[in-house]
Structure formats: structure tokens, C-alpha cells
Amino acid sequence: MRELIRTNDLVVLSCAEAILAGEGIACVVLDRHTGMNAFVTPRLMVESANYYAATKSLQDGGLGAFVYEPD
């Protein structure tokens, strides 16, 4: 699994899930219900094999700015 998005914005997570579902790419949101906690940020995860296709789908869907890229 690879982290695709890390954000406290539940609308962004929901939109990303919808975009990926429309493309047939399975995803899971970890720590969704801890988003109000200052120490834990929800993360949208995809299978490693689907990472690049998922990234492209989110960029095409206008969410490219939210794709997580570790430092």
C-alpha cells in the first residue's frame, strides 16, 4: 500500500474516493475518524501497483495538488 493523499479535509478525501471508484481503483482511508485530532491526519491509501494510475486520475480530476509526496 502507498499513501496517495494526507489531509484533514474530508471533502477532498470523499472526492478522491469517488474519482478512484469511477476508475475502478480500490482505495482505503486510514484514520478517517481521527481527523479532528491534531496529531493524526487521515490518509488515502492505494495498492502500490495502482499508485501511478491513481495519481493520474486525481490529477485529471483536479485533485493533483493534494497528492502526497514525502520529503
Side-chain angles (χ1 to χ4, degrees), residues 30-57:
L30 302 177
D31 304 319
R32 179 190 309 264
H33 300 294
T34 60
M36 296 303 160
N37 183 334
F39 302 106
V40 180
T41 304
R43 297 162 291 153
L44 182 107
M45 309 289 287
V46 295
E47 291 290 333
S48 297
N50 294 331
Y51 179 78
Y52 293 107
T55 299
K56 174 90 169 88
S57 295

Side-chain angles (χ1 to χ4, degrees), residues 7-46:
T7 183
N8 283 324
D9 190 334
L10 299 179
V11 174
V12 169
L13 288 173
S14 178
C15 288
E17 286 179 289
I19 290 169
L20 295 177
E23 296 291 326
I25 300 172
C27 65
V28 64
V29 177
L30 302 177
D31 304 319
R32 179 190 309 264
H33 300 294
T34 60
M36 296 303 160
N37 183 334
F39 302 106
V40 180
T41 304
R43 297 162 291 153
L44 182 107
M45 309 289 287
V46 295

Side-chain angles (χ1 to χ4, degrees), residues 2-6 16 20 43-46 51 54-55 58 66-69:
R2 283 190 67 179
E3 184 174 341
L4 189 60
I5 292 181
R6 178 184 293 189
L20 295 177
R43 297 162 291 153
L44 182 107
M45 309 289 287
V46 295
Y51 179 78
T55 299
L58 292 181
F66 293 98
V67 172
Y68 177 74
E69 299 195 24

